[in-house]
Amino acid sequence: MSTFVTLEQIDQAADFIRSRTSHRPRVGLILGSGLNSLADSIENADYIPFNEIPNWPLSSVQGHAGRLVIGELEGQTVLTMQGRVHFYEGYSMSQITLPVRVMIRLNIEIMIVTNAAGGVNPRFTPGDVMLITDNLNMVGMAGANPLIGPNIDEFGPRFPDMSQVYDPALMTLARKVALERQITLREGVYCGLSGPSFESPADLRFLKLIGSDAVGMSTVPEVIVARHGGLRTLGFSGISNKANLDGSTVTTHEEVIEAGKVITPKIEAIVRGVLRAL
Ligand code: HPA
């Protein structure tokens, strides 16, 4: 695969998926570290392992299964990515966002993303769920924006607007569902970093200063590509650990996966409610 994924490569993947399922999904779900059990509840599911899909980037990280699960959930036809790849695995930004472009070519209208994140906002505690209201594109601002390279006009313009990255109507719906189900829903800005090292205390103090409520290693590239291509987007962070601003604690991947067990039922309930109401 060349550095920049082409429309032809995207369409090869989309055509393959279309040939392997008769479902025509309206909603795409990307489920993060330790948060992907929702895919197991999908009815009439067709399963497509990532390694069978042409040009699809493959993950190596523990906690990320690798397949598409396409079927029915809460009255919607959904395409679910059980697992995703990250920039730190060595793929280009263009490669890690190929799945989102495939969703767009499959005529998906809405993308819901979840991730595990460190809580920078001092009011957050591990186990909380945060509605992502905006994001800080640290990696992209520093030169690795996923839209760098030839613009594919079929998706959107060269210089896409990002004033409303997350869809206001979908956010309103998520708040309503959380309230109805008595789930505390935090809100804030997700700061996307490359990883794979966790942040130093000085990094975290800086990230807090510039307005981050939660920090993680995914989501922002996918969401930018989604917005470029006109997808309506909704995102949730599961707060898996308190960001270590004073250097007094240690952050581990195991703790992130473990916290997913508390967070998953809450995110699942909200996502189910949103799907039901769409
Ligand atoms: N930092 C970055 N990414 C993360 C964290 C964190 O503390 N927790 C889960 N993903």
Side-chain angles (χ1 to χ4, degrees):
M1 204 186 281
S2 67
T3 318
F4 301 116
V5 169
T6 62
L7 186 60
E8 193 181 15
Q9 289 169 321
I10 294 160
D11 282 344
Q12 278 170 358
D15 290 344
F16 178 81
I17 294 165
R18 241 187 247 109
S19 76
R20 287 282 298 269
T21 182
S22 57
H23 292 296
R24 294 295 173 255
R26 176 183 180 213
V27 181
L29 298 170
I30 305 181
L31 304 175
S33 307
L35 304 175
N36 65 34
S37 65
L38 189 58
D40 300 329
S41 317
I42 291 174
E43 290 158 25
N44 301 318
D46 290 322
Y47 299 95
I48 310 178
F50 290 160
N51 64 10
E52 294 181 12
I53 308 172
N55 311 315
W56 202 272
L58 303 177
S59 172
S60 53
V61 184
Q62 180 210 340
H64 294 265
R67 61 182 186 178
L68 288 181
V69 187
I70 308 172
E72 309 291 332
L73 189 63
E74 299 292 339
Q76 296 291 334
T77 306
V78 300
L79 173 146
T80 307
M81 279 175 65
Q82 208 170 17
R84 59 144 77 86
V85 292
H86 298 80
F87 190 53
Y88 60 72
E89 292 177 72
Y91 290 101
S92 70
M93 280 289 179
S94 179
Q95 288 172 309
I96 65 173
T97 53
L98 172 135
V100 176
R101 293 192 142 166
V102 170
M103 287 184 193
I104 296 165
R105 296 300 272 179
L106 291 172
N107 296 321
I108 284 175
E109 296 164 29
I110 292 170
M111 183 176 84
I112 304 178
V113 281
T114 71
N115 58 53
V120 176
N121 185 320
R123 290 190 294 276
F124 294 176
T125 44
D128 280 351
V129 177
M130 184 188 90
L131 175 69
I132 307 175
T133 55
D134 200 351
N135 56 223
L136 267 163
N137 180 13
M138 286 296 284
V139 185
M141 278 193 270
N145 189 295
L147 299 176
I148 286 175
N151 187 55
I152 306 180
D153 298 332
E154 281 78 359
F155 291 104
R158 172 76 290 186
F159 301 108
D161 173 69
M162 289 289 149
S163 57
Q164 292 190 331
V165 185
Y166 298 87
D167 188 85
L170 291 177
M171 287 197 282
T172 301
L173 191 56
R175 291 181 186 110
K176 183 167 165 278
V177 169
L179 198 66
E180 279 166 8
R181 300 186 186 213
Q182 299 181 310
I183 298 165
T184 303
L185 185 58
R186 309 287 189 177
E187 298 197 9
V189 173
Y190 175 86
C191 178
L193 308 168
S194 77
S197 52
F198 288 113
E199 306 71 41
S200 74
D203 289 333
L204 288 164
R205 289 192 297 271
F206 165 70
L207 296 173
K208 183 177 176 218
L209 195 67
I210 62 170
S212 316
D213 294 297
V215 292
M217 306 174 190
S218 65
T219 304
V220 175
E222 289 106 313
V223 168
I224 287 176
V225 166
R227 289 302 300 137
H228 179 243
L231 281 181
R232 295 171 61 201
T233 301
L234 182 65
F236 300 96
S237 288
I239 305 299
S240 52
N241 56 284
K242 251 189 187 314
N244 180 21
L245 278 85
D246 63 3
S248 63
T249 56
V250 170
T251 305
T252 66
H253 184 59
E254 289 66 34
E255 132 184 67
V256 172
I257 299 298
E258 196 56 34
K261 293 175 188 160
V262 184
I263 295 162
T264 297
K266 298 194 228 178
I267 293 192
E268 283 196 12
I270 299 172
V271 170
R272 280 176 180 275
V274 167
L275 291 173
R276 171 70 40 204
L278 281 178

mmCIF file of all heavy atoms in Angstrom, residues 116-119 193 198-199 215-217 240-243 251 256, ligand 1:
data_model
loop_
_atom_site.group_PDB
_atom_site.id
_atom_site.type_symbol
_atom_site.label_atom_id
_atom_site.label_comp_id
_atom_site.label_asym_id
_atom_site.label_seq_id
_atom_site.Cartn_x
_atom_site.Cartn_y
_atom_site.Cartn_z
ATOM 1 N N ALA A 116 -10.872 4.326 25.282
ATOM 2 C CA ALA A 116 -10.424 4.403 26.666
ATOM 3 C C ALA A 116 -9.520 5.623 26.769
ATOM 4 O O ALA A 116 -8.731 5.885 25.863
ATOM 5 C CB ALA A 116 -9.650 3.147 27.022
ATOM 6 N N ALA A 117 -9.656 6.367 27.855
ATOM 7 C CA ALA A 117 -8.873 7.595 27.980
ATOM 8 C C ALA A 117 -8.464 7.835 29.424
ATOM 9 O O ALA A 117 -9.105 7.345 30.354
ATOM 10 C CB ALA A 117 -9.690 8.781 27.461
ATOM 11 N N GLY A 118 -7.438 8.600 29.582
ATOM 12 C CA GLY A 118 -7.011 9.023 30.912
ATOM 13 C C GLY A 118 -7.755 10.293 31.287
ATOM 14 O O GLY A 118 -7.933 11.188 30.453
ATOM 15 N N GLY A 119 -8.218 10.387 32.518
ATOM 16 C CA GLY A 119 -8.947 11.574 32.956
ATOM 17 C C GLY A 119 -7.997 12.656 33.416
ATOM 18 O O GLY A 119 -7.239 12.473 34.368
ATOM 19 N N LEU A 193 -3.457 11.934 21.182
ATOM 20 C CA LEU A 193 -1.989 11.874 21.153
ATOM 21 C C LEU A 193 -1.565 10.668 20.341
ATOM 22 O O LEU A 193 -2.386 9.796 20.044
ATOM 23 C CB LEU A 193 -1.463 11.747 22.586
ATOM 24 C CG LEU A 193 -1.997 12.804 23.560
ATOM 25 C CD1 LEU A 193 -1.662 12.415 24.993
ATOM 26 C CD2 LEU A 193 -1.409 14.167 23.223
ATOM 27 N N PHE A 198 2.706 6.422 27.660
ATOM 28 C CA PHE A 198 1.779 7.289 28.367
ATOM 29 C C PHE A 198 2.486 8.623 28.602
ATOM 30 O O PHE A 198 3.692 8.756 28.370
ATOM 31 C CB PHE A 198 1.341 6.640 29.681
ATOM 32 C CG PHE A 198 0.399 5.465 29.491
ATOM 33 C CD1 PHE A 198 0.786 4.180 29.817
ATOM 34 C CD2 PHE A 198 -0.882 5.657 28.987
ATOM 35 C CE1 PHE A 198 -0.087 3.096 29.646
ATOM 36 C CE2 PHE A 198 -1.756 4.594 28.810
ATOM 37 C CZ PHE A 198 -1.358 3.302 29.138
ATOM 38 N N GLU A 199 1.730 9.611 29.085
ATOM 39 C CA GLU A 199 2.258 10.966 29.202
ATOM 40 C C GLU A 199 3.085 11.110 30.486
ATOM 41 O O GLU A 199 2.795 10.487 31.501
ATOM 42 C CB GLU A 199 1.103 11.972 29.233
ATOM 43 C CG GLU A 199 0.150 11.859 28.064
ATOM 44 C CD GLU A 199 -0.734 10.610 28.094
ATOM 45 O OE1 GLU A 199 -1.214 10.252 29.189
ATOM 46 O OE2 GLU A 199 -0.909 9.981 27.040
ATOM 47 N N VAL A 215 -7.395 12.260 27.834
ATOM 48 C CA VAL A 215 -6.338 12.041 26.831
ATOM 49 C C VAL A 215 -6.312 10.581 26.399
ATOM 50 O O VAL A 215 -6.509 9.679 27.200
ATOM 51 C CB VAL A 215 -4.934 12.427 27.352
ATOM 52 C CG1 VAL A 215 -4.835 13.916 27.559
ATOM 53 C CG2 VAL A 215 -4.573 11.684 28.632
ATOM 54 N N GLY A 216 -6.051 10.380 25.111
ATOM 55 C CA GLY A 216 -5.987 9.023 24.586
ATOM 56 C C GLY A 216 -5.204 8.969 23.281
ATOM 57 O O GLY A 216 -4.669 9.990 22.833
ATOM 58 N N MET A 217 -5.163 7.773 22.702
ATOM 59 C CA MET A 217 -4.281 7.542 21.554
ATOM 60 C C MET A 217 -5.039 7.176 20.281
ATOM 61 O O MET A 217 -4.518 6.489 19.408
ATOM 62 C CB MET A 217 -3.289 6.422 21.893
ATOM 63 C CG MET A 217 -2.492 6.667 23.169
ATOM 64 S SD MET A 217 -1.481 5.247 23.600
ATOM 65 C CE MET A 217 -0.939 5.705 25.261
ATOM 66 N N SER A 240 -10.515 5.502 32.064
ATOM 67 C CA SER A 240 -9.994 4.249 32.624
ATOM 68 C C SER A 240 -8.996 4.483 33.751
ATOM 69 O O SER A 240 -8.730 3.590 34.541
ATOM 70 C CB SER A 240 -9.349 3.417 31.524
ATOM 71 O OG SER A 240 -8.413 4.187 30.832
ATOM 72 N N ASN A 241 -8.452 5.660 33.825
ATOM 73 C CA ASN A 241 -7.466 5.961 34.869
ATOM 74 C C ASN A 241 -7.383 7.462 35.042
ATOM 75 O O ASN A 241 -7.754 8.222 34.148
ATOM 76 C CB ASN A 241 -6.086 5.413 34.449
ATOM 77 C CG ASN A 241 -5.656 5.950 33.093
ATOM 78 O OD1 ASN A 241 -6.157 5.516 32.058
ATOM 79 N ND2 ASN A 241 -4.753 6.900 33.093
ATOM 80 N N LYS A 242 -6.918 7.850 36.193
ATOM 81 C CA LYS A 242 -6.675 9.276 36.434
ATOM 82 C C LYS A 242 -5.320 9.610 35.836
ATOM 83 O O LYS A 242 -4.343 8.901 36.072
ATOM 84 C CB LYS A 242 -6.626 9.528 37.943
ATOM 85 C CG LYS A 242 -7.830 10.301 38.465
ATOM 86 C CD LYS A 242 -7.588 10.704 39.918
ATOM 87 C CE LYS A 242 -8.780 11.331 40.592
ATOM 88 N NZ LYS A 242 -9.524 12.357 39.878
ATOM 89 N N ALA A 243 -5.261 10.642 35.019
ATOM 90 C CA ALA A 243 -3.974 11.056 34.469
ATOM 91 C C ALA A 243 -3.070 11.482 35.632
ATOM 92 O O ALA A 243 -3.513 12.121 36.582
ATOM 93 C CB ALA A 243 -4.160 12.199 33.490
ATOM 94 N N THR A 251 0.597 4.292 35.238
ATOM 95 C CA THR A 251 -0.505 3.915 34.349
ATOM 96 C C THR A 251 -0.109 2.676 33.558
ATOM 97 O O THR A 251 1.002 2.607 33.031
ATOM 98 C CB THR A 251 -0.823 5.070 33.372
ATOM 99 O OG1 THR A 251 -1.087 6.248 34.127
ATOM 100 C CG2 THR A 251 -2.029 4.749 32.513
ATOM 101 N N VAL A 256 -6.222 -0.150 32.083
ATOM 102 C CA VAL A 256 -7.144 0.391 31.077
ATOM 103 C C VAL A 256 -8.173 -0.677 30.689
ATOM 104 O O VAL A 256 -9.385 -0.411 30.615
ATOM 105 C CB VAL A 256 -6.347 0.882 29.837
ATOM 106 C CG1 VAL A 256 -7.285 1.267 28.699
ATOM 107 C CG2 VAL A 256 -5.445 2.052 30.214
HETATM 108 N N1 HPA B 1 -3.150 8.301 28.438
HETATM 109 C C1 HPA B 1 -3.247 8.043 27.131
HETATM 110 N N2 HPA B 1 -4.043 7.132 26.630
HETATM 111 C C2 HPA B 1 -4.815 6.441 27.473
HETATM 112 C C3 HPA B 1 -4.765 6.660 28.858
HETATM 113 C C4 HPA B 1 -3.879 7.650 29.377
HETATM 114 O O1 HPA B 1 -3.784 7.895 30.593
HETATM 115 N N3 HPA B 1 -5.660 5.805 29.428
HETATM 116 C C5 HPA B 1 -6.217 5.109 28.409
HETATM 117 N N4 HPA B 1 -5.708 5.489 27.223
#
